[in-house]
Amino acid sequence: MALLRCSDLSLGYEGKPILEHIDFEVQAGEYLCIVGENGSGKSTLMKTILGLIRPLRGEVLTGDGLRPNEIGYLPQQTVVQRDFPASVYEIVLSGCQGRQGLRPFYRDADRELAWQNICRMEIEPLARRCYRELSGGQQQRVLLARALCATKKLLLLDEPVSGLDPKVTAEMYQLIGDLNRKDGITVIMISHDLEAALHYASHILHIGSRIYCGPVEGYLNSETGARWAGKGGQCPCQN
Amino acid sequence: MSKLALYLTQTYVQRALLVGVLVALCASLLGVTLVLRRFSFIGDGLSHVAFGAMAVAAVVGLSDNMLLIMPVTIGCAVLLLATGRNTKIKGDASVAMISVGALAVGYMLMNLFPPRGKSNISGDVCSTLFGGTSILTLSNLEVRLSIVLSIVVVLFFILFYHKIFAVTFDESFAAATGTNTGLYNLLIAVIIAVVIVLAMNLVGSLLISALVVFPALSAMRVFKSFRAVSVCAACISVICAVVGILFSAVQGTPVGSTIVVADILAFGAFSLAGFLHSL
Ligand SMILES: Nc1ncnc2c1ncn2[C@@H]1O[C@H](COP(=O)(O)OP(=O)(O)O)[C@@H](O)[C@H]1O
Ligand SMILES: [Mg+2]
């Protein structure tokens, strides 16, 4: 069975559909990029997969022993976070909260996991620093480390490189690619950077008026993909 | 100084200190999460709701006001806070609406149906808003009630500290990774309502919003982790409450406003410290 399966999924806000009849599967180990115009419902789809929004129709199923609370998430940043007094360590550790149930305090194992992920993201020197004083790229690493505390299997990333400069963007892609290839973590990432998506991902989900879901190789040959990639201006990619 | 020593031996001053410190402690602990969620005004709003409920209770002639005030305030807190950020009306707008509405309706009711034996309505209203001297005239029962409830609130904060952090920092992430955000939002809302009703009875609604907002904001000027901010806000709040109560006992100023002034001075000092530190 697939790690994640959406069958005949319709989603939207307050009963008004934004996307309808979405069908796709994600197998363990894949790197799926979700692309599409701004406002086409990429973030909404991700929130529906996470159970933050109830689907209007259809369902999201998890398989392969993946429990719904074992999904790591890197949200598009909100305003509140920007001036929040919190140390990097506090934030990373809070990634373990989903597993705590009613237990009031973290266990040693949780603290160890938080440190491991801090090291994995190479942000040890920042551990005691205040989140709001970090650069955009550093903040994304912190949130990625937090997401890794919540999962060992599946990461959902909502535009993880938006607002980062080219060098930091490349590092971030590298980091995510390593997590996928070396650690075998399945990645679902929203991106409006088509060139990078084609370069790093193994699969593409294009949403909009036409929907494509399948391997990268097939995407460019498909009508949707050819049209979109041909537009050029859509992908502000540098390398 | 000798005057101060004399005051400190008085039971009513000791009680006021004890209760004031406890209420200030509770309010500041919850204030951190309220301020960070952009809900600073909730203290103000809820205390106006409590005022409206009190007016209704007085008009209806209930023997124990608490029977009505507590459930109504908790209900409003749940409505405003526990629904999270996905409500149609923006959080701050609905707080303003409910707050002003309750205040107006309450005041109108009190004027239309003056409670028996009370002629001085504006005096009543004034002491509800500004606290008057009620903290100096606490009964045994009120003191015991505040002690018990304060202990409950502080225990709640300690036991749920990590959950409050997770839910406050990033509600979506917490919900997505399996934290029961609905439950914790509900608990936080109920606890806040309890603190506000408690504090309003003792020190007035003006003071309670200040107690909620100022210590958290002051601490955030200087400290950079959630834990340090929480601890520091609690300390600031307690110190300001003690200083304010003692000063007002000696100088005869209104207790509530004196504590608020102390909080403002602390805020000024912390802002300056934060500014100097960042140079
Ligand atoms: N909380 C919300 N309530 C109602 N509509 C929303 C909400 N959030 C987004 N939308 C609408 O849903 C559509 C899709 O938004 P979104 O999923 O954020 O797009 P994307 O991430 O692809 O840019 C947009 O038209 C947006 O206006
Ligand atoms: Mg989006």
Side-chain angles (χ1 to χ4, degrees), chain A residues 85 90 97 103 133 146, chain B residues 162-163 170 224 226-227:
Chain A
E90 285 178 317
Q97 184 57 53
R103 197 185 308 122
E133 289 169 353
R146 176 184 68 164
Chain B
H162 291 292
K163 296 177 182 13
D170 192 340
K224 322 221 136 145
F226 192 75
R227 183 195 299 225

Side-chain angles (χ1 to χ4, degrees), chain A residues 52 69 71 73 75 80-81 83-87 90-91 94 97-98 101 103-106 130 132-133 146 150, chain B residues 36 38 158-159 161-163 165-166 168-170 172-173 175-179 184 220 223-227 229:
Chain A
L52 296 174
N69 70 349
I71 302 179
Y73 176 43
V80 173
Q81 286 175 21
D83 59 353
F84 202 99
S87 72
E90 285 178 317
I91 291 171
S94 77
Q97 184 57 53
R103 197 185 308 122
F105 305 109
Y106 292 109
C130 176
R132 66 184 170 198
E133 289 169 353
R146 176 184 68 164
Chain B
L36 290 172
R38 305 279 188 269
I158 293 173
L159 289 179
Y161 168 83
H162 291 292
K163 296 177 182 13
F165 174 79
T168 310
F169 179 68
D170 192 340
S172 304
F173 178 87
T177 53
T179 304
Y184 300 126
M220 280 163 64
F223 291 97
K224 322 221 136 145
S225 74
F226 192 75
R227 183 195 299 225
V229 167

Side-chain angles (χ1 to χ4, degrees), chain A residues 13-14 18 37-45 76:
Chain A
Y13 296 94
E14 288 144 26
I18 292 171
E37 314 255 341
N38 266 338
S40 56
K42 304 183 294 293
S43 297
T44 310
L45 173 62
Q76 272 183 321

Side-chain angles (χ1 to χ4, degrees), chain A residues 169-186:
Chain A
T169 298
E171 284 172 11
M172 198 71 191
Y173 278 133
Q174 191 65 48
L175 213 55
I176 296 167
D178 284 350
L179 289 174
N180 177 248
R181 261 174 292 112
K182 297 198 183 135
D183 301 307
I185 297 175
T186 311

